[in-house]
Amino acid sequence: MKEVFYRIFVKRQEKYWWMNILVPVVSIFIALIVGAIFIASTGRNPFLAYKYLFGSSGLIPGPYFKSHFSEMLIASSMFIATGLAFAIPARAGLFSIGAEGQFIVGAITAAFFGYYKPLANLPTIIHLPIVLLMVIIVGGLWGLIAGYLKAKKGINETIVTIMLNWIAFHLIEGWLVTGPMKADVATGVSGTPYVSPTAKLPIILSGTRLNISILIMLFLVYAVWFLLYRTVFGYELRAMGYTAITNMEAPKIGGVNTEKRIMQIMFISGAIAALGGSFITLGVLFQYPPVFEGGYGFDGIAVALIGGNEPVGILLSGILIGALRTGATSVQLVKIPKTFPAIIEGLIVVFIALHELIRYLLVKAITKKKEGVSV
Amino acid sequence: MNWTYLINESLKQMLDFAAPILFAALGGVISENSGVVNIALEGIMRFAAFFGVWGAFNSGNPWVGLMWGVLIGALLGAFHAYITVKWAGDQIVSGVAINVIATAMITYFLEWIFKTTGYSPTVAYFGSSKYLVNINFIENIPVLGAFSHLHILIWISLILVFVLHFFLYHTVLGLRIRSVGEYPLAAETLGVDVLKIKWIAVILGSVIAALGGVSLSLGTMSSFTNSMPSGKGFIGLAAMIFGKWTPIGAMLASFLFASAQVLQFLLQAIAKGIAAKIPVGFYLALPYILTIGALVGVVGKAVAPAADGVPYKKEES
């Protein structure tokens, strides 16, 4: 299965280098057109749909732009987190579907250390870093389970991460939130208690909910880029990905301690996904709710793929998906179900997958033009 | 306690749980033996579960629903094959695309067609007494009795395991599928149309996965709910890897997983004393913990078909 990935890393050496930018942009554009056709075929007005979708996506200035913009960045920071959490192992030839579980593990850890009484009276500058540190440790360890089993026992990381998602989900919803971490019944709160104000992520744009989560993610995008392209660790990680097709024999011969690397990679991946989960507890809901609306982990896979598993690409695709989701609620105003933007997301992924076709058509169109000019 | 009844009921429930997972796993087996990874199983099941109900809703007959499910499975398989075989697109990307679209589009269809959020109206289904496969004379025999009143899709899932085993290992087409998944270049040299074989395997695999979707919505249940298939496609994927890419292995893995589910219910039902104090979450998590335990203890390393996931491109001349 992981043999798939070697292709993703192999950067094409070709004449038209700008194809690598043009192809995703054209893919997004075609996806929007197909989405419009879909909307029209179900008897609704596609122009209205897009007007509402983008009008309240936070990308285009308009009424309530400030709040849409901040909501967009809040959502984007979570998608970027789960996107990176998929991409880092993928670059090493590991296929982890565990971001969903790591995300909720991060959310519940943040909730616990957020309301935990002995910490609640500390100032934010001390309390918040402690909470985030615990999130990183717990989330990282959750990711490490799959990494350890893969490295030491050779057990397929895909199965283990799928199982860990369910284990996390059931232990949290079937035990922690209804048991030891349940809010006091007298307060009338369902789910966990609310976190202390000192654990909330500081707001960076007054009058909105926009908090430092997006700054943390911007830093992390840079850190992951640096890690991948400017460190020995990143070099070895990419080498493992390149040679995944030869069952990691080559980097072993080259002196890479693959076992250690796999465990480190899975720890980092889990920690980043968990950080994304903590943003929802510390910046949006301020508690772990009784029923959690998940999906960020699975959307992270799409984000990573649209972004070509590149940190900067993930930053941009995370913002795009965040914007589509922010605009989602307002399409309901024109009687279009709010899952419509997710259809667009899927269509973008489809045309990303068809990049060979799009590349072929673009190259054909361009070369034809040039010939025409020369004649 | 009536042991015969308990054993038969548990086994019956196990087969019932196993069927959708087994279909998904078998679909994956066929596709991946030809070298095409299909993580879209989840999305295909969701599509098929919905259109199965839609077909049964319009006609009042679950068989029509089944046909719609199969048709949509074939279409999605063709879609996946078009991207991954025809254009050598990335198989994971294509699979994720189908999964994302399935979640979004089916919710959209529910609101658009049935004007509801989250569930469809109830329809005629295979679990109703009219459509059950009744074998009355084995009813009271331990173990065998479990098979006395199963719905047709469970039977199809069980028979399919052996059909596919025979197909993969004892027919020419099966051999070709496996050779294409192991060493496409050699197969090409021997005159096998690699791309055509992949098309066939992907579509066939998707149709089988679609049966899994139909067995969710028209098997024991009689309607579509938005929480379908809630990860059963991924569990099927896991069962396929667990079963080392073979039909019989996939069956054993699905059974193991379904048994853990039944065990969880039994434990919860008979929990007394200290066991009753164990939170429900632990019981629910048990099947997944057992799966990891089984992987660590028994199965260990699995080897995929050599060219699994590698797109095949014909040399252009």
Side-chain angles (χ1 to χ4, degrees):
Chain A
M1 170 163 277
K2 66 188 91 57
E3 286 78 359
V4 170
F5 287 95
Y6 93 100
R7 282 192 61 251
I8 300 177
F9 329 115
V10 181
K11 276 274 162 287
R12 289 154 171 280
Q13 300 291 323
E14 62 175 325
K15 277 197 293 194
Y16 309 106
W17 60 270
W18 37 265
M19 275 290 175
N20 289 327
I21 300 159
L22 190 62
V23 170
V25 171
V26 171
S27 302
I28 292 167
F29 193 66
I30 301 176
L32 291 174
I33 295 173
V34 175
I37 296 170
F38 177 75
I39 283 282
S41 70
T42 60
R44 296 173 169 94
N45 186 339
F47 299 104
L48 262 182
Y50 283 130
K51 195 183 141 202
Y52 276 85
L53 179 58
F54 285 104
S56 56
S57 67
L59 285 180
I60 299 166
Y64 309 110
F65 174 65
K66 202 170 148 192
S67 87
H68 290 318
F69 179 72
S70 67
E71 291 300 310
M72 183 266 284
L73 288 183
I74 290 171
S76 298
S77 62
M78 292 173 212
F79 288 124
I80 296 167
T82 50
L84 287 175
F86 176 81
I88 295 167
R91 292 298 291 262
L94 297 166
F95 187 49
S96 160
I97 323 190
E100 185 75 20
Q102 293 150 0
F103 188 90
I104 57 174
V105 165
I108 194 84
T109 308
F112 178 76
F113 288 99
Y115 75 69
Y116 186 55
K117 278 280 173 307
L119 294 173
N121 291 322
L122 295 168
T124 298
I125 193 98
I126 302 172
H127 190 183
L128 186 60
I130 292 177
V131 176
L132 293 181
L133 185 67
M134 294 314 293
V135 166
I136 289 171
I137 292 172
V138 176
L141 289 176
W142 194 257
L144 186 61
I145 299 173
Y148 175 84
L149 292 176
K150 172 75 179 181
K152 297 289 180 191
K153 312 262 179 195
I155 296 169
N156 186 295
E157 73 281 2
T158 311
I159 312 187
V160 177
T161 49
I162 291 172
M163 297 301 150
L164 285 174
N165 284 346
W166 286 104
I167 294 171
F169 174 78
H170 286 307
L171 289 187
I172 291 171
E173 289 212 343
W175 171 46
L176 289 173
V177 177
T178 51
M181 288 178 66
K182 192 168 69 172
D184 197 352
V185 184
T187 59
V189 178
S190 56
T192 69
Y194 285 102
V195 299
S196 147
T198 55
K200 291 182 181 174
L201 294 170
I203 305 283
I204 52 172
L205 186 62
S206 61
T208 71
R209 297 202 290 179
L210 184 60
N211 54 50
I212 60 166
S213 62
I214 189 67
L215 300 181
I216 298 176
M217 283 330 295
L218 279 175
F219 169 74
L220 271 180
V221 166
Y222 173 73
V224 170
W225 175 85
F226 189 84
L227 187 77
L228 278 178
Y229 294 105
R230 291 289 181 272
T231 63
V232 175
F233 177 87
Y235 175 78
E236 293 189 354
L237 189 156
R238 286 180 292 131
M240 285 163 66
Y242 280 119
T243 49
I245 190 156
T246 56
N247 289 322
M248 297 199 179
E249 286 306 316
K252 237 174 214 163
I253 294 161
V256 179
N257 186 343
T258 47
E259 289 187 5
K260 195 171 123 196
R261 287 286 178 253
I262 288 172
M263 292 198 279
Q264 289 168 332
I265 289 162
M266 290 306 288
F267 184 93
I268 294 171
S269 158
I272 294 179
L275 265 183
S278 76
F279 296 159
I280 209 161
T281 320
L282 304 176
V284 182
L285 301 171
F286 306 119
Q287 57 142 210
Y288 194 98
V291 179
F292 190 83
E293 229 177 277
Y296 291 96
F298 291 116
D299 280 315
I301 303 179
V303 168
L305 296 177
I306 295 172
N309 284 344
E310 289 284 347
V312 179
I314 290 169
L315 174 69
L316 297 176
S317 66
I319 287 174
L320 176 70
I321 301 304
L324 287 177
R325 291 301 160 86
T326 307
T329 33
S330 68
V331 294
Q332 288 176 301
L333 293 174
V334 281
K335 298 248 160 42
I336 290 169
K338 68 172 178 187
T339 55
F340 170 62
I343 298 178
I344 303 283
E345 178 189 328
L347 288 172
I348 296 173
V349 185
V350 168
F351 291 107
I352 295 281
L354 276 171
H355 69 105
E356 286 275 339
L357 170 64
I358 292 170
R359 194 181 292 265
Y360 170 79
L361 293 175
L362 281 174
V363 169
K364 209 172 164 187
I366 287 158
T367 46
K368 219 176 212 172
K369 217 180 204 172
K370 273 187 182 161
E371 276 164 18
V373 171
S374 63
V375 171
Chain B
M1 197 179 282
N2 185 343
W3 285 103
T4 309
Y5 179 78
L6 188 68
I7 290 170
N8 287 352
E9 267 312 293
S10 308
L11 193 58
K12 195 179 147 194
Q13 242 184 41
M14 190 280 280
L15 291 170
D16 201 28
F17 274 126
I21 300 168
L22 181 51
F23 276 125
L26 289 174
V29 166
I30 294 300
S31 177
E32 298 215 2
N33 266 292
S34 82
V36 180
V37 172
N38 192 349
I39 67 161
L41 297 173
E42 175 95 2
I44 292 169
M45 283 172 86
R46 183 177 284 269
F47 261 105
F50 177 81
F51 279 97
V53 164
W54 184 73
F57 177 79
N58 284 336
S59 65
N61 185 338
W63 285 103
V64 177
L66 182 73
M67 275 170 50
W68 272 102
V70 166
L71 185 73
I72 201 82
L75 276 176
L76 289 168
F79 181 75
H80 190 55
Y82 179 76
I83 295 177
T84 60
V85 180
K86 163 90 180 166
W87 286 104
D90 192 277
Q91 299 168 0
I92 299 293
V93 183
S94 169
V96 169
I98 294 174
N99 285 339
V100 172
I101 290 182
T103 318
M105 211 176 255
I106 295 303
T107 315
Y108 190 108
F109 281 150
L110 262 181
E111 287 188 30
W112 180 45
I113 297 173
F114 292 123
K115 308 271 183 285
T116 55
T117 46
Y119 58 90
S120 77
T122 46
V123 296
Y125 71 119
F126 289 109
S128 72
S129 51
K130 191 174 153 195
Y131 292 99
L132 279 182
V133 179
N134 291 312
I135 311 174
N136 288 326
F137 68 94
I138 57 170
E139 201 166 15
N140 293 317
I141 306 170
V143 183
L144 268 185
F147 294 87
S148 58
H149 302 290
L150 297 176
H151 64 76
I152 185 79
L153 288 165
I154 296 179
W155 279 109
I156 295 177
S157 77
L158 296 176
I159 294 164
L160 200 59
V161 172
F162 299 98
V163 171
L164 289 182
H165 178 83
F166 180 80
F167 172 69
L168 269 184
Y169 299 103
H170 300 283
T171 65
V172 176
L173 187 55
L175 175 72
R176 284 189 179 160
I177 287 178
R178 286 185 300 129
S179 70
V180 162
E182 284 291 339
Y183 200 169
L185 199 61
E188 180 88 58
T189 318
L190 292 173
V192 175
D193 188 342
V194 173
L195 300 186
K196 192 174 128 197
I197 297 286
K198 283 184 185 237
W199 269 92
I200 294 171
V202 172
I203 293 178
L204 186 62
S206 304
V207 166
I208 296 169
L211 288 175
V214 175
S215 72
L216 279 172
S217 60
L218 294 177
T220 345
M221 295 276 283
S222 56
S223 64
F224 178 85
T225 68
N226 220 355
S227 58
M228 255 168 216
S230 70
K232 291 233 167 48
F234 285 112
I235 302 284
L237 195 74
M240 174 202 72
I241 302 170
F242 208 149
K244 305 195 173 185
W245 287 268
T246 63
I248 298 198
M251 177 181 76
L252 296 178
S254 307
F255 282 180
L256 176 83
F257 193 78
S259 309
Q261 287 280 9
V262 174
L263 181 69
Q264 164 237 315
F265 278 119
L266 279 177
L267 284 177
Q268 262 182 284
I270 61 174
K272 287 189 190 100
I274 302 167
K277 289 202 178 72
I278 297 174
V280 64
F282 282 96
Y283 288 112
L284 294 174
L286 188 66
Y288 308 99
I289 296 171
L290 286 178
T291 307
I292 293 183
L295 276 171
V296 175
V298 192
V299 183
K301 225 172 179 158
V303 182
D308 196 12
V310 185
Y312 185 75
K313 276 188 193 168
K314 264 189 183 165
E315 291 300 316
E316 276 159 44
S317 49

